[in-house]
Amino acid sequence: MSREIQQFREILFWPFRFEANGGGDLQKFLECSSLWHRDEDWLKRGYRCDQARPDETAYAEFVYFHPFVQRFLYSEDSSVSPMKVWRRDDIVGAEVQLADRDCPIVRLSVEQVRLFWFDLRDDHGVGILTLEVAATTPLPLSTVQNLLDQFRRVYPPYWEKGVAGRFPQWVTWETTDGSKLNCTQETFSQFWNWADKKRTYPVGKHWRSLLYGKVDPVPSWFDKLRQIEDERMPTMTWLAMDDPRQLTCGDFVRLCFADESGSSDNLPYAPTFLKNFERDYCYDRYWAHGSLDDEKSGAQSWMTTRYMNCGYAFTMVGQAGGFYTDAVSGALSHFRNHYFTMGLIAHFQKAALLSFSDCLSTDVSKPEDKGLHKNARKTLRRLIDFTDRYWFIDLSNQLQARELYSGWRQHLGLDALYAQVMDEADKLSSYLEGENEVRLQWIVGAASVVVGLLPIWGKFIEVHFGSPLCFAIINSVLFAVIVGFTYFLWRRRR
């Protein structure tokens, strides 16, 4: 049997956020664009406009999740749903030339292109662009490893002698009308000018073109886009082989961490670092060690599916054929639907928490006269709303789903990140309460002084302005001044 990858499928997640009302501008662009189409009912979605999803698949996905998750994902009224979804149907294929010039061009079919927007109130939110691709022919294991390492990068992590490191040389998108959008990557000076002038992460031309079509001119809202994590997009991978048990430990490690290719006989990291690899990163409920041809190993023929998860990369490896490649109700269907939804929620939660942490840091850095209290209180309200609407500890009553999602959350560090953000919010809230208490004490003190002076003022008015009418007018004016002054202080307190 061959160690060639018979079937390859990958789903990429690109999380981002916007500054200065950019989220609203993005949604206006999507609603008016001829490239993007709204998915009104997420439960009844198709893979593409020309690829319907079987009702059996939709049903299995729906009953897989808790009722509160169902209400979040499958709202019947899309106008009030906190999750809005758009799709592109015009991109049907891709050609990728990896960094190694000796590597042949990788041809992929594009199965889905979708853009998710999660509303976090006050024109804040998190966007996630998802792309599902599949290989059109079997691929060598080394090509798959290099593709996993390079294709998910939003921008080159480094440059060496004018060549982008671990980044595709070019990507071409193929459209339904037969035309091609060639995206040859920019030079170092172009990437550097982006970083230098905008002081944000640059974005590769092929990813920009997925968002808004033609690469030039750049829409104004795109300048407000902010990358939430580093250049490596989170990814999900599904691989089918004749005999996955022929993979070595080194192969599994590279696939698990989406690392570049290397010798199957060597480990990419130190043995001491990987001593608990299978315990920490592998979910082997349906995996038995040993060759399929080795009867003495005790390996049962159907136990050939291994799940691996390091947080940013979720990988399934199994034997081609049967349940594993069943696209309606088998493992492939679960990967494209159940597990994809789990990954979408997990990566959204991390992106939202990182966004909140950044907002809290920005709020604290603002001076008093620049809206510190107002902006901080809005951020705290959004964080409370996020906890109520989006913060799920588990998603399903299914044991396997709970185990997989628990491992996913652990590797993403969601609980620790949530605790950190909540601690930042508590400290900011305590600071605001302290500031309010100081202001309130000052107001009470000022009011006490004014009240104490009233008898003296009244005696003065009585002596010098004996007329009752003058006395009433002057006291009315004084009362209005005191009320206005108190209201001014109250507004300042807020």
Side-chain angles (χ1 to χ4, degrees), residues 271-286:
T272 53
F273 178 78
L274 297 171
K275 65 179 181 179
N276 295 321
F277 169 74
E278 292 189 340
R279 185 195 68 184
D280 295 340
Y281 299 101
C282 299
Y283 182 76
D284 287 344
R285 178 183 283 267
Y286 305 111

Side-chain angles (χ1 to χ4, degrees), residues 8 10 144-152 235 237 255 258:
F8 165 83
E10 181 181 21
V144 167
Q145 291 170 335
N146 288 327
L147 183 66
L148 292 176
D149 175 56
Q150 298 179 29
F151 188 50
R152 65 193 178 104
T235 180
T237 308
L255 291 173

Side-chain angles (χ1 to χ4, degrees), residues 335-349:
F335 172 81
R336 301 185 70 190
N337 298 279
H338 306 45
Y339 304 150
F340 165 72
T341 303
M342 291 167 58
L344 179 69
I345 293 175
H347 291 302
F348 156 65
Q349 289 183 341

